Amino acid sequence: MSNYNIDTKCVQGGYRPGNGEPRQVPIIQSTTFKYESSSEMGKLFDLEASGYFYSRLQNPTNDTVAAKICELEGGTAAMLTSSGQAASFYSVFNIASCGDHVISSSAIYGGTYNLFAVTMKRMGIEFTFVSPDISEEDLQKEFKANTKAVFGETIANPALKVLDIEKFARAAHKNGVPLIIDNTFATPVNCRPFEWGADIVTHSTTKYMDGHGSGVGGCIVDSGKFDWTKYPDKFPGLCTPDDSYHGVTYTERFGIEGAYITKATAQLMRDLGSIQSPQNAYLVNLGLESLHVRMQRHCDNGLAVAKYLQSDDRISWVVYPGLEGAPDYELTKKYMPNGTCGVVSFGVKGGRAAAEKFMAGLKIAAIETHVADARSCCLHPASATHRQMNDEELIAAGVLPDLVRFSCGLESSEDLINDIKNALDNI
C-alpha cells in the first residue's frame, strides 16, 4: 500500500484478506503449528523456508500487525515484542555485545536510561549519554572504534525535547553506525524518522498505537537502508556465519533489507522470548485503525492545555513542542509540522510538594504510570518512572523535581482545563 496516504494505511495496512477470508485480522492463539513431515519443519529451522512452527519466534497475527507498522513507518521489515522496553533492548543488543559502545541522547525515558546505564552496562556494553543539544562537532568526539549505534527519542519522555534527527544521523553515518530512534510519542502519523536519516525505529505500542491501555507491547522497524556489509568487522553478527543457526549469514541470505529483523527474530527472540501475545497484537491493530484520527485530537488538546498553563501564574514553566516560542519549536516545525503529541510537561510553583498536591486534586486526569492514552493521566516522574536517578541525572534527562507529565486524552479540552484550574485552586 505504498501509494496510499498514511490514514488509509492505518486502517487497512498489513492485511488484505482474500475471498471468503476474515475481514478483521484473525487472532491465531496457538503456540505451535502442524506439519506433515519433519523435513518441512526442518526447512523452517534452517531459515530456508517461510512459515510458523512456534509462537515464541513468530506468529501470524503478530506478523500481520508488524507489517502494518512497517508500512506506516516506511520500512522493509518489522517485528513485535512484548513491551517497548524489550524493543529498546533488542534494537541495541542485536548489534552490540560485551565490549562495545553506544551513544545515546541523555533525554530519554527513565526506564530506557536505567536499561542502558545499569542493566546493559552489567552486560559489558558501555553507554555515553550526550545532550540532545550537543553540537555536531562535539558529538563526533564521542565516537570510539567500538561504537555500534546511536540512540535517541523523537520526542523525549517526559522532557519533551525534540531530537535533531538529521544531525544525529549524519554523525552516526559518518562513523559507520546506525541511528536508532524511539518514535513512540510522535508516532508515524506525525513523524517518520526514516525520511530524516534514521535507520531503525522502535515503539512502545502500549502508548498511542494501542491508545486504550489494553495491552503492553513494542515494535522494531528496519528502514532497510543501512548497509551492514560495508562494515563487516563492526557487525559480525549480521555479516558472518551464525553457528547457532547452521552457519547462516543474515546479510547474504536476507539482504540488507531483512537481515537485521531476521537476526533479531531468529536469534534474540528464540533465546530471550519477549514475544507479544497474539491477543495484544490484535488490540494494537484496533488502536492503529484510529491512530490518525486520535493523534489529531491528542495534539489539539495538548496545545490547548499548554496555552492555558502558560497563562496561569501558579505554573512556573511549561514545555510543549508545538507551543510557539518553545525552545525546540523550529525543530518541531521541521520534523513534525502537523502535530507532535498530547503530552505536556510543566512545573507547579512550590516545587515537589505542590506538584503532588496538584495531582491529588485532579478529578478527570488520573495518576498513573502510563501516558498516551485515550483517558487523560498524569505522573510526577521524579517520584515514579525516574526515581532511580539522582538529581544530576534527572537534570541531564530534562526532568526537574517539580515536573508534572500531563497526558491529554480525548476528552473535551475545556473540561481538562477546568480540571487543572480546580486542582491548582486546591493547593
Side-chain angles (χ1 to χ4, degrees):
M1 301 186 71
S2 59
N3 295 327
Y4 290 96
N5 291 321
I6 200 163
D7 297 17
T8 304
K9 291 178 182 178
C10 282
V11 180
Q12 297 205 22
Y15 179 62
R16 304 292 288 175
N19 187 46
E21 293 181 345
R23 189 65 191 88
Q24 181 54 278
V25 173
I27 304 173
I28 309 300
Q29 193 68 46
S30 180
T31 60
T32 52
F33 301 83
K34 175 184 177 292
Y35 287 89
E36 296 295 332
S37 68
S38 295
S39 61
E40 287 182 275
M41 186 172 287
K43 291 179 180 178
L44 298 176
F45 275 95
D46 290 344
L47 302 179
E48 293 177 353
S50 60
Y52 303 93
F53 54 87
Y54 197 52
S55 277
R56 189 178 77 230
L57 280 86
Q58 287 179 290
N59 175 281
T61 306
N62 292 22
D63 283 357
T64 299
V65 179
K68 173 178 281 191
I69 298 173
C70 189
E71 286 187 17
L72 292 174
E73 286 288 5
T76 58
M79 64 185 291
L80 297 188
T81 61
S82 59
S83 67
Q85 279 292 87
S88 295
F89 172 57
Y90 279 18
S91 70
V92 174
F93 196 59
N94 200 34
I95 52 176
S97 57
C98 183
D100 289 334
H101 172 252
V102 176
I103 296 171
S104 173
S105 167
S106 60
I108 56 175
Y109 168 57
T112 307
Y113 179 90
N114 196 70
L115 169 67
F116 291 168
V118 179
T119 303
M120 295 186 76
K121 181 180 179 180
R122 289 175 182 155
M123 300 169 70
I125 302 174
E126 178 192 3
F127 284 81
T128 296
F129 295 93
V130 300
S131 167
D133 295 326
I134 190 172
S135 69
E136 199 162 341
E137 180 182 3
D138 287 340
L139 180 57
Q140 287 290 341
K141 297 175 184 177
E142 301 295 342
F143 286 86
K144 303 179 181 181
N146 61 339
T147 302
K148 295 298 179 71
V150 178
F151 185 95
E153 296 180 1
T154 312
I155 305 174
N157 175 16
L160 301 182
K161 284 291 299 179
V162 176
L163 193 76
D164 189 342
I165 301 173
E166 284 193 315
K167 177 179 71 177
F168 277 79
R170 281 193 302 268
H173 296 160
K174 187 174 182 179
N175 290 274
V177 300
L179 173 61
I180 304 171
I181 293 289
D182 182 334
N183 197 33
T184 297
F185 267 19
T187 82
V189 170
N190 286 334
C191 183
R192 286 157 55 98
F194 293 156
E195 296 176 355
W196 301 101
D199 303 290
I200 308 294
V201 160
T202 66
H203 286 278
S204 171
T205 62
T206 315
K207 309 304 189 298
Y208 286 123
M209 285 187 169
D210 174 304
H212 300 84
S214 301
V216 176
C219 185
I220 308 173
V221 186
D222 182 8
S223 68
K225 295 178 181 178
F226 190 85
D227 191 352
W228 312 100
T229 62
K230 290 176 66 175
Y231 315 97
D233 294 335
K234 192 180 287 284
F235 304 106
L238 291 166
C239 301
T240 59
D242 180 0
D243 293 336
S244 73
Y245 249 110
H246 316 290
V248 63
T249 300
Y250 295 102
T251 49
E252 289 181 2
R253 180 76 63 84
F254 303 101
I256 62 172
E257 297 85 2
Y260 178 90
I261 293 296
T262 302
K263 177 180 179 292
T265 302
Q267 191 183 88
L268 300 188
M269 194 65 82
R270 174 198 63 192
D271 295 343
L272 301 173
S274 301
I275 191 72
Q276 187 170 147
S277 75
Q279 178 70 50
N280 279 5
Y282 174 84
L283 294 172
V284 168
N285 187 62
L286 290 182
L288 289 171
E289 289 179 353
S290 63
L291 181 63
H292 57 297
V293 179
R294 290 185 290 106
M295 285 307 296
Q296 183 61 59
R297 181 58 176 261
H298 283 299
C299 292
D300 289 346
N301 281 354
L303 183 59
V305 165
K307 287 181 176 179
Y308 162 72
L309 290 168
Q310 199 176 41
S311 69
D312 195 309
D313 60 11
R314 293 168 293 185
I315 300 300
S316 53
W317 56 270
V318 181
V319 174
Y320 182 71
L323 195 61
E324 191 169 355
D328 296 330
Y329 187 62
E330 293 305 313
L331 285 176
T332 299
K333 288 197 299 181
K334 175 181 178 179
Y335 293 120
M336 291 163 279
N338 298 320
T340 56
C341 64
V343 182
V344 184
S345 291
F346 57 93
V348 180
K349 287 182 179 178
R352 183 185 294 239
E356 292 178 351
K357 287 182 180 179
F358 161 76
M359 293 200 308
L362 293 167
K363 303 299 182 184
I364 295 177
I367 301 174
E368 301 177 23
T369 310
H370 192 38
V371 69
D373 190 82
R375 294 163 290 272
S376 292
C377 53
C378 66
L379 191 73
H380 183 235
S383 301
T385 55
H386 290 63
R387 68 181 298 124
Q388 77 279 4
M389 292 184 176
N390 58 38
D391 286 348
E392 184 177 316
E393 291 170 335
L394 283 170
I395 292 171
V399 181
L400 300 177
D402 62 343
L403 185 152
V404 173
R405 184 186 70 185
F406 194 97
S407 177
C408 300
L410 304 179
E411 304 92 349
S412 157
S413 60
E414 181 181 359
D415 290 340
L416 292 179
I417 291 170
N418 286 333
D419 194 32
I420 292 171
K421 284 181 180 177
N422 293 332
L424 288 170
D425 290 340
N426 290 332
I427 296 177

